[in-house]
Amino acid sequence: NIVLNSFFGPVMNAYYGISQQINSTLKKFTESFLKTFKPIAYKYEGDGKRLLMFDTINIMSKYGFFIALFIGIPIITQVKLILKIWIDSNNVETIVLSKLFIVLILVNIISSGAQTGLQAIGKIKYYQATVGSLIIIIPLFSSILLTLGYPHYSALIASIIIEALSYFIRLNLL
């Protein structure tokens, strides 16, 4: 929000906010489903059944991804109609940002199992140090892209790239 506001002003920030509203519902729905798997994974790890914990987080990631995809694809294909009905607008910026947010959510959801597995195993310090350090550079990376003249949506593309890199780091730590 801060980076987009700095480069494009409050109007772009409003487009970003509208896109975020559309996609936060998808993310909350999927995450509430995934919360049911976390205690199971923690219990298996606590009982010394690491293979069952790995199976659980694998299922968690797959189901979460497919639920988000099942809901996300219709949103991506019909976001123009959704915006027309909801706010009587069809501006291109909001449509592009909404679609990219769904991609970001899908990348984040697929890594939710690895996040849970790392927490269950107890590698939280290393996880936070590496992934947290990577995530925190998103505004810097976005600012660089926007300074180089890339379009407004490159800030979200930067987030998607960093989140994908974070996913591979999570898997490596796991």
Side-chain angles (χ1 to χ4, degrees), residues 59-71:
I59 291 168
M60 175 184 177
S61 292
K62 287 179 183 177
Y63 283 167
F65 179 80
F66 286 119
I67 287 172
L69 191 64
F70 183 72
I71 298 169

Side-chain angles (χ1 to χ4, degrees):
N1 284 342
I2 294 169
V3 173
L4 286 175
N5 195 35
S6 299
F7 281 87
F8 300 105
V11 173
M12 184 59 68
N13 216 10
Y15 297 151
Y16 185 84
I18 292 167
S19 301
Q20 226 173 6
Q21 286 293 318
I22 291 171
N23 298 300
S24 68
T25 305
L26 170 62
K27 187 171 183 174
K28 286 178 187 175
F29 176 77
T30 308
E31 285 177 346
S32 67
F33 171 77
L34 296 178
K35 284 182 182 179
T36 60
F37 286 96
K38 289 181 180 185
I40 298 166
Y42 297 152
K43 180 178 180 346
Y44 283 144
E45 179 62 24
D47 290 345
K49 299 175 181 175
R50 185 161 284 175
L51 290 177
L52 286 174
M53 187 271 297
F54 281 132
D55 288 343
T56 302
I57 62 173
N58 188 20
I59 291 168
M60 175 184 177
S61 292
K62 287 179 183 177
Y63 283 167
F65 179 80
F66 286 119
I67 287 172
L69 191 64
F70 183 72
I71 298 169
I73 286 176
I75 294 172
I76 287 173
T77 60
Q78 297 300 319
V79 71
K80 195 173 187 178
L81 177 65
I82 292 167
L83 289 171
K84 185 69 176 164
I85 292 169
W86 183 36
I87 58 173
D88 195 27
S89 175
N90 273 334
N91 83 21
V92 176
E93 290 84 0
T94 308
I95 292 169
V96 170
L97 290 173
S98 296
K99 290 178 179 184
L100 286 172
F101 261 119
I102 291 174
V103 172
L104 179 62
I105 288 168
L106 289 170
V107 173
N108 185 268
I109 292 297
I110 198 76
S111 70
S112 61
Q115 294 171 13
T116 301
L118 287 166
Q119 290 170 349
I121 292 171
K123 289 191 174 184
I124 299 169
K125 181 172 86 172
Y126 300 112
Y127 166 69
Q128 290 298 336
T130 55
V131 175
S133 299
L134 189 59
I135 298 284
I136 205 159
I137 67 165
I138 291 173
L140 175 64
F141 189 35
S142 298
S143 296
I144 291 169
L145 290 173
L146 295 173
T147 301
L148 293 173
Y150 287 94
H152 67 281
Y153 55 84
S154 61
L156 263 177
I157 291 174
S159 296
I160 293 167
I161 291 168
I162 300 274
E163 188 63 41
L165 288 172
S166 298
Y167 170 63
F168 290 112
I169 290 171
R170 288 177 184 117
L171 286 180
N172 190 32
L173 286 173
L174 191 60

